[in-house]
Amino acid sequence: MSRLSLQKEKLRPEGLLNKYFSGESMNYRQIIALFIPILIDQMFVVGLNLLNTAMISSSGMEAVSAVNMVDSLNMFLVNVFIAVATGGTVVVAQYKGSGNPQMVSKSAASAIASVTLIAMAVSTLVIALHNPIIQLLFGTASPGVLDNARIYLIGSGLSFTGIGIVQAVCGALRGIGKTRESLFLSLITNVTYVLLNLVLITLLDMGVEGMTIAVNAARYIGAACALFYLFKKEETMRIRVKEMFHIQGAMLKKIMFIGVPFAAEQMFFNGGKLLTQIFIVGMGTYATAANAIGGTIAGLSQIPSGAMSLTIVTVVGQCVGRRDIADARKFIKSFIWLSSLSLLGMTLLILPLFGPLVSLFGPPDEIMHDLFLLTLINLLAQIPLWSISFITPAALRAAGDSKFTSIVAMLSMWLFRVVLGYILGVALEFGVIGVWLAMNCEWGVRGTIFLLRFRGQKWYKHKLI
């Protein structure tokens, strides 16, 4: 074949996929098979969240503000046990890559049992301390917002064990590459949630009370389906019920090696987000509503990239399990570039549709200017910054480099997003836009640090299995 023919072959879609997404560990077809179900899952999760926000907006801006405030706290709490589930995903993926099915089963069982126990403990604490939590974090909000927030916080706390089980089982399935089955379980949970919200909020006009009933029913239905599949249908992991009650110390240590730093990172990271949320609550109900709607649109724009950040954990985990660092490096670079291109594409898609999208929430005219401005700034900033800030640490963590990534994320959050958010948003009175600008700056700082770490060798030197 001539040199010109070879160059043409490389420029074809299949040639490009082979060049950037195929290696000794896996090929582009396997990566696409992992990615597509996760992408569909993210589309449903974010899309259904958009519908839920639109539905609750029919109950007024106080309801929207209350749900958004409590969801900031929920994200802080739920991510603690999701972090442990991610530790399980990494360990399962590395054992899968090394070709050790017995250890795949043991690591998956330990991860699921651990996450369930942690979720139950967090749930108990939140329900017992709901009044002090509400007063401490959101005491400056209006009485109507506080009443709605109290109801939603108790209801959310009751559902934590259900979502913990779903996340743990889905994480183990992603670790062995069964993203299609993980998608199915996630869809059961999220579609049920939206359908129940449609009935309870839109048709029966139950407002925040209806949403709390819906979230509990959906998450426990999802948990029941996840456990049924795990014990009756899943053949690769072959987990038995009694294994869930026998957590091995050595295996738990491996999971916690990844999970604990990530959990600490999530607590500090989401704690920082929660603090910036408190800044915004102090700016009034309109600012809180603008932040909620802007966050929903941002989540919509990040769907493909978010799916890539989950996919890269399995891909890099299995590469490192085989000790194929060259493939891991290649795939990380390819995912970063592809994620940035997808963010550019989503920006070009969302900006012309801004009006119709925002109209779903029925926002007051007073917030439209700020809402468009923060959306525009965020969409443009995330094209070069989001991928290096989120894809890179997910990949480093999958290789076992959890401590470094967690420390960097915690420090950058508190030194830049929180402090700068207060300076720009409160002290200089830029409002909610100033808080979002600080967030974009923080992405750039920590993303640069992660890229420098990736260029070195320390990130893959950890011996996890």
Side-chain angles (χ1 to χ4, degrees):
M1 189 180 289
S2 66
R3 181 177 299 178
L4 182 60
S5 299
L6 283 170
Q7 289 176 341
K8 287 182 178 179
E9 178 66 27
K10 288 181 180 179
L11 291 175
R12 290 174 184 169
E14 188 170 0
L16 291 171
L17 289 170
N18 268 319
K19 181 178 180 180
Y20 295 108
F21 293 96
S22 291
E24 295 296 324
S25 301
M26 57 181 66
N27 57 46
Y28 75 85
R29 290 184 179 87
Q30 292 171 303
I31 291 177
I32 290 174
L34 288 172
F35 172 70
I36 294 299
I38 296 177
L39 174 63
I40 296 170
D41 181 25
Q42 292 296 294
M43 289 172 63
F44 271 92
V45 168
V46 175
L48 297 179
N49 179 58
L50 187 149
L51 287 176
N52 285 331
T53 306
M55 281 189 278
I56 198 63
S57 68
S58 65
S59 301
M61 286 297 106
E62 285 187 340
V64 174
S65 299
V67 169
N68 179 248
M69 282 160 40
V70 174
D71 274 340
S72 298
L73 177 60
N74 285 340
M75 189 65 68
F76 169 76
L77 297 169
V78 171
N79 273 313
V80 173
F81 49 85
I82 288 180
V84 181
T86 302
T89 303
V90 172
V91 176
V92 168
Q94 291 203 14
Y95 275 124
K96 175 69 174 176
S98 68
N100 192 334
Q102 184 179 6
M103 297 306 290
V104 166
S105 176
K106 289 181 178 180
S107 58
S110 294
I112 295 165
S114 302
V115 171
T116 303
L117 290 173
I118 293 170
M120 291 171 67
V122 173
S123 175
T124 303
L125 283 172
V126 167
I127 294 168
L129 302 174
H130 69 274
N131 264 324
I133 291 170
I134 289 290
Q135 288 301 321
L136 176 65
L137 298 178
F138 311 121
T140 58
S142 67
V145 172
L146 286 177
D147 289 339
N148 282 316
R150 190 171 290 107
I151 294 168
Y152 189 53
L153 179 59
I154 295 171
S156 299
L158 289 169
S159 73
F160 285 170
T161 304
I163 192 63
I165 293 170
V166 173
Q167 289 292 336
V169 174
C170 287
L173 289 170
R174 285 195 296 269
I176 61 173
K178 290 197 171 184
T179 52
R180 196 177 305 172
E181 290 79 357
S182 172
L183 163 66
F184 181 68
L185 293 174
S186 179
L187 287 182
I188 290 174
T189 305
N190 289 294
V191 171
T192 302
Y193 184 30
V194 169
L195 291 177
L196 288 172
N197 274 339
L198 184 64
V199 174
L200 297 173
I201 298 175
T202 306
L203 298 181
L204 300 181
D205 196 24
M206 292 178 66
V208 174
E209 292 93 338
M211 182 169 268
T212 61
I213 295 170
V215 74
N216 276 276
R219 287 177 173 180
Y220 282 105
I221 288 170
C225 293
L227 292 175
F228 175 80
Y229 176 80
L230 188 70
F231 296 133
K232 298 294 185 181
K233 300 293 183 181
E234 171 53 38
E235 296 178 352
T236 303
M237 291 186 286
R238 295 179 180 177
I239 298 175
R240 292 172 293 180
V241 176
K242 66 178 183 180
E243 291 179 333
M244 302 288 290
F245 298 94
H246 180 64
I247 304 175
Q248 294 184 347
M251 185 59 66
L252 186 61
K253 185 177 179 181
K254 295 177 189 293
I255 293 168
M256 293 303 175
F257 180 79
I258 302 295
V260 169
F262 191 31
E265 172 194 334
Q266 290 300 299
M267 289 181 70
F268 276 86
F269 189 79
N270 287 291
K273 288 176 70 174
L274 190 59
L275 190 54
T276 59
Q277 178 73 44
I278 295 171
F279 298 161
I280 294 169
V281 169
M283 298 172 190
T285 301
Y286 282 165
T288 309
N291 182 65
I293 297 169
T296 304
I297 295 173
L300 189 66
S301 70
Q302 293 160 7
I303 289 174
S305 295
M308 289 179 213
S309 71
L310 291 173
T311 307
I312 197 69
V313 174
T314 301
V315 172
V316 172
Q318 293 193 13
C319 288
V320 172
R322 288 170 52 97
R323 303 310 300 168
D324 193 338
I325 306 305
D327 269 3
R329 280 191 181 278
K330 173 182 178 178
F331 292 141
I332 294 168
K333 291 177 184 177
S334 299
F335 269 72
I336 290 172
W337 280 105
L338 184 61
S339 171
S340 297
L341 288 173
S342 76
L343 289 166
L344 173 61
M346 292 300 289
T347 297
L348 296 175
L349 179 66
I350 287 173
L351 280 179
L353 299 174
F354 176 80
L357 274 176
V358 172
S359 67
L360 291 172
F361 308 99
D365 293 338
E366 289 86 347
I367 71 171
M368 287 300 294
H369 176 265
D370 282 355
L371 184 55
F372 177 76
L373 196 56
L374 70 84
T375 300
L376 177 64
I377 293 169
N378 187 67
L379 287 175
L380 294 176
Q382 69 185 11
I383 295 170
L385 301 179
W386 193 95
S387 302
I388 59 173
S389 185
F390 290 93
I391 299 285
T392 316
L396 300 181
R397 191 175 294 110
D401 196 25
S402 57
K403 190 179 294 184
F404 176 84
T405 55
S406 296
I407 290 171
V408 169
M410 287 188 286
L411 290 176
S412 67
M413 163 58 79
W414 284 86
L415 294 176
F416 289 90
R417 190 181 301 194
V418 173
V419 174
L420 190 60
Y422 180 81
I423 292 171
L424 294 177
V426 181
L428 297 180
E429 298 184 351
F430 284 108
V432 67
I433 294 173
V435 174
W436 280 59
L437 277 171
M439 175 184 71
N440 298 145
C441 292
E442 188 262 339
W443 288 351
V445 170
R446 71 188 187 119
T448 302
I449 296 170
F450 289 140
L451 280 181
L452 292 173
R453 179 74 165 186
F454 171 64
R455 291 180 62 183
Q457 299 179 356
K458 291 183 179 179
W459 62 274
Y460 60 82
K461 296 292 186 181
H462 304 277
K463 190 72 174 177
L464 186 60
I465 64 170

